[in-house]
Every structure is written in structure tokens, then in C-alpha cells.
């Protein structure tokens, strides 16, 4: 019998499970959870996990369209996303590497147009899913994932 995560206190929102231990605070900031209006967030760090040894968990009470799951997939596509509605898990989302990420990574090429044009979106395109390689849409500068 598998034990389900207790989601008491979340009427609508997300439970992000199987986060690598110690990564939850940077994910909190990358998802801009600190900028969500009236979102209640609980971060559980170093919880025991049969699958991972230890893991972090983030519970967020917020409207279910508030989190950019592409950013989460880019950070770590092994995170389990549980969508909560009416106090119950209504959907589990399997993350994948997004084909494109916008304003998550910055191009390090000093000659790239994004270094000169301040208002330009930083767009990276997935060019090698096996190696998790992204390239700048403008100058082809390579970025290798985690």
C-alpha cells in the first residue's frame, strides 16, 4: 500500500514532490513564488524518501494556472507535480524538458544581441534532448543543463 502525501490545508494549488534535497529554495525563487499574490507556500526540506533517500517538497496554495511548469521541467524534469483542486489530487503531471525556455537562463556570449538590447527576451531552444543542451535563439551559444 503506498502512502499518499497528506495535502491538508491545500484547497487549490500544487504539491511539487521528489525535488532533489536542498533544491527547494532555489526552485521557490525560480518559479517566482515569492511574487505570487496571496499564495501560501510550505517548503519541506530533507524529507525521507524511499526512491531518493532524501527529498524536498513544496506545497503551494494558489490558482492552478499560476506556475510555469516549463520552468520546472527545465530545472528538473524528475519532479512530480500534483495538481490539487477541492482538497484532492486531481492530476499528476509528468514534466518533460521544454522545447524552449524564455527568461530563465541568460546568454553568456558578450557579443549576443541580448547583451546589447536590454529589453530583449532571453530565449533558449532545446537542441539536444539526450544531453539536455539548449542554445541561444539569437547566437547559438550553448547551455548544458544540470
Amino acid at each position: 500500500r503506498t502512502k499518499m502525501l497528506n495535502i491538508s490545508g491545500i484547497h487549490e494549488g500544487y504539491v511539487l514532490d521528489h525535488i532533489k534535497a536542498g533544491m527547494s529554495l532555489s526552485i521557490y525563487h525560480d518559479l517566482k513564488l515569492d511574487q505570487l499574490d496571496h499564495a501560501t507556500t510550505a517548503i519541506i526540506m530533507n524529507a525521507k524518501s524511499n526512491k531518493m533517500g532524501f527529498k524536498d517538497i513544496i506545497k503551494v496554495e494558489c490558482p492552478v494556472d499560476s506556475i510555469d511548469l516549463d520552468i520546472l521541467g527545465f530545472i528538473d524534469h524528475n519532479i512530480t507535480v500534483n495538481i490539487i483542486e477541492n482538497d484532492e489530487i486531481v492530476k499528476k503531471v509528468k514534466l518533460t524538458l521544454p522545447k524552449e525556455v524564455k527568461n530563465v537562463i541568460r546568454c553568456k556570449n558578450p557579443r549576443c544581441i541580448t547583451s546589447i538590447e536590454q529589453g530583449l527576451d532571453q530565449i533558449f531552444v532545446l537542441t539536444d534532448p539526450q544531453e539536455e543542451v539548449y542554445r541561444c535563439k539569437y547566437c547559438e551559444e550553448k547551455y548544458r543543463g544540470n
Side-chain angles (χ1 to χ4, degrees):
R1 203 179 108 205
T2 58
K3 193 172 110 185
M4 283 303 283
L5 187 65
N6 183 356
I7 48 163
S8 62
I10 296 185
H11 180 67
E12 179 184 14
Y14 299 88
V15 175
L16 310 178
D17 198 359
H18 302 108
I19 299 169
K20 283 184 191 129
M23 291 297 295
S24 56
L25 285 177
S26 64
I27 288 173
Y28 175 82
H29 292 292
D30 290 339
L31 291 177
K32 297 178 176 47
L33 296 177
D34 52 336
Q35 297 170 24
L36 277 183
D37 283 344
H38 310 296
T40 304
T41 306
I43 295 176
I44 298 135
M45 299 179 84
N46 293 314
K48 281 197 166 92
S49 166
N50 293 336
K51 191 160 89 174
M52 303 173 71
F54 290 93
K55 66 181 178 180
D56 288 1
I57 302 164
I58 301 175
K59 298 179 178 186
V60 188
E61 169 87 35
C62 65
V64 292
D65 57 357
S66 302
I67 292 181
D68 185 342
L69 295 180
D70 278 351
I71 291 175
L72 206 52
F74 171 73
I75 295 167
D76 183 353
H77 56 276
N78 296 309
I79 292 171
T80 306
V81 178
N82 299 293
I83 296 177
I84 313 302
E85 287 176 10
N86 298 319
D87 305 299
E88 292 185 357
I89 296 174
V90 294
K91 186 174 173 192
K92 283 183 180 275
V93 178
K94 181 71 184 119
L95 295 174
T96 56
L97 284 170
K99 303 222 180 313
E100 184 178 284
V101 288
K102 188 188 289 188
N103 299 325
V104 179
I105 9 178
R106 297 192 63 75
C107 186
K108 291 181 179 19
N109 178 356
R111 292 181 301 284
C112 181
I113 185 95
T114 59
S115 298
I116 302 153
E117 296 287 330
Q118 295 307 311
L120 203 58
D121 283 329
Q122 299 270 338
I123 300 172
F124 277 72
V125 179
L126 180 65
T127 55
D128 185 346
Q130 261 61 47
E131 296 291 319
E132 298 184 21
V133 172
Y134 284 81
R135 289 188 181 273
C136 176
K137 182 176 177 179
Y138 308 102
C139 74
E140 296 289 311
E141 181 78 17
K142 186 191 287 188
Y143 176 89
R144 177 167 274 117
N146 310 340

